[in-house]
Amino acid sequence: MRIGLFIPCYVDALYPHVGQATYALLRHYGLDVDYPERQTCCGQPMANGGFERMSKRLANNFDQLFATYDYVVAPSASCAAFVRFNYPALLPAGHDCAVEKKTMDVVEFLHDVLKVTEVPGVFPHMVSVHNSCHGVRELGLSSPSERNIPKFNKIVDLLQMVRGITVRQPERPDECCGFGGMFSVEETAVSLRMGEDKLARHEATGAEYVTGPDSSCLMHLEGIARREKRNIKFIHVAEILAAGL
């Protein structure tokens, strides 16, 4: 199985250790992992801001660059969801999108494709799981509360394999944190209040750390926590799963 590792631009710039943990985790399972150095942003920021035309060239580049891999794996539920759900419409009419169905978030890939039964992580801490909106409602990483279906959570399933960990979930587990990309810039006051409410629910679990599949959501919450001097830390789920490697 040949894996193309996609590291979103904000992860590359601000959280390179998340990319490193993802690579180490995939290699742990004996996979052939390649990092195409010509990769760029997937185009999500422009498209979400109403400038879809600006993202088309990036989508085409991504599609060509990752076309030959069996799977494209990323430590970002939102970027993986953007490729899967938006690329078919962004690419030229009649073009068969090569990456649509094989681009996956790392949690989704480990849980659904590899069906792992062990993880190398050792993390003797209590964590509160942050279920990001794209992960819940587009990738199906956990069950959305508005649907009358049996509850599940693939993030929790993987974390519970980590030695020493205690896993918690906040009240209203799939409520938005208020980041929303451009939303946090254009509607700052609303975004901040949503983030404060979400952060308070994570703190109420008694957890030392908040974890999840999207560094963007964690970044938003961590910014609020730092500014308000709240005593809680943030870590990407891939870092916990790979802890000890």
Side-chain angles (χ1 to χ4, degrees):
M1 189 182 295
R2 193 160 172 259
I3 308 300
L5 179 61
F6 169 49
I7 302 300
C9 47
Y10 73 96
V11 175
D12 179 53
L14 301 174
Y15 303 100
H17 48 282
V18 173
Q20 293 167 343
T22 304
Y23 176 81
L25 191 58
L26 295 173
R27 291 289 295 151
H28 169 77
Y29 294 106
L31 299 169
D32 179 8
V33 185
D34 184 35
Y35 175 77
E37 294 185 1
R38 289 178 48 246
Q39 62 181 276
T40 65
C41 173
C42 66
Q44 180 178 193
M46 292 77 87
N48 286 355
F51 300 95
E52 281 196 347
R53 287 184 298 176
M54 295 176 64
S55 64
K56 289 185 176 183
R57 183 170 58 86
L58 297 177
N60 188 62
N61 178 69
F62 186 105
D63 190 59
Q64 293 179 6
L65 194 62
F66 286 99
T68 61
Y69 296 98
D70 297 309
Y71 288 95
V72 182
V73 179
S76 170
S78 65
C79 293
F82 180 75
V83 171
R84 189 179 305 173
F85 290 94
N86 293 74
Y87 270 27
L90 288 174
L91 294 171
H95 177 86
D96 184 17
C97 182
V99 296
E100 173 193 357
K101 295 179 180 178
K102 61 184 179 183
T103 300
M104 310 185 82
D105 170 74
V106 63
V107 169
E108 182 184 26
F109 179 74
L110 295 175
H111 190 281
D112 295 353
V113 177
L114 291 190
K115 302 184 186 301
V116 301
T117 57
E118 62 81 26
V119 297
V122 180
F123 199 73
H125 302 281
M126 182 183 293
V127 304
S128 183
V129 175
H130 184 72
N131 303 289
S132 59
C133 299
H134 287 91
V136 176
R137 294 175 176 86
E138 292 192 320
L139 299 186
L141 298 187
S142 61
S143 51
S145 56
E146 67 271 14
R147 295 184 62 196
N148 185 25
I149 61 175
K151 291 184 179 180
F152 65 89
N153 193 309
K154 298 173 186 179
I155 307 167
V156 172
D157 289 347
L158 293 178
L159 286 174
Q160 287 178 335
M161 300 180 196
V162 175
R163 285 171 287 168
I165 199 168
T166 302
V167 182
R168 296 284 185 264
Q169 287 201 73
E171 181 188 12
R172 301 184 184 180
D174 60 349
E175 184 176 69
C176 180
C177 68
F179 176 63
M182 293 300 295
F183 175 79
S184 62
V185 177
E186 296 170 347
E187 299 288 349
T188 306
V190 179
S191 173
L192 174 60
R193 182 56 187 269
M194 291 173 71
E196 289 176 331
D197 289 348
K198 189 71 180 185
L199 183 59
R201 293 190 177 97
H202 280 301
E203 288 178 315
T205 67
E208 301 167 71
Y209 290 85
V210 177
T211 190
D214 269 306
S215 292
S216 51
C217 297
L218 299 179
M219 175 177 64
H220 176 60
L221 293 173
E222 184 175 14
I224 296 171
R226 283 186 178 183
R227 190 180 69 177
E228 299 183 357
K229 296 180 171 55
R230 313 280 274 271
N231 188 30
I232 194 165
K233 293 170 280 189
F234 300 80
I235 185 170
H236 193 280
V237 65
E239 295 179 271
I240 297 178
L241 298 177
L245 286 177

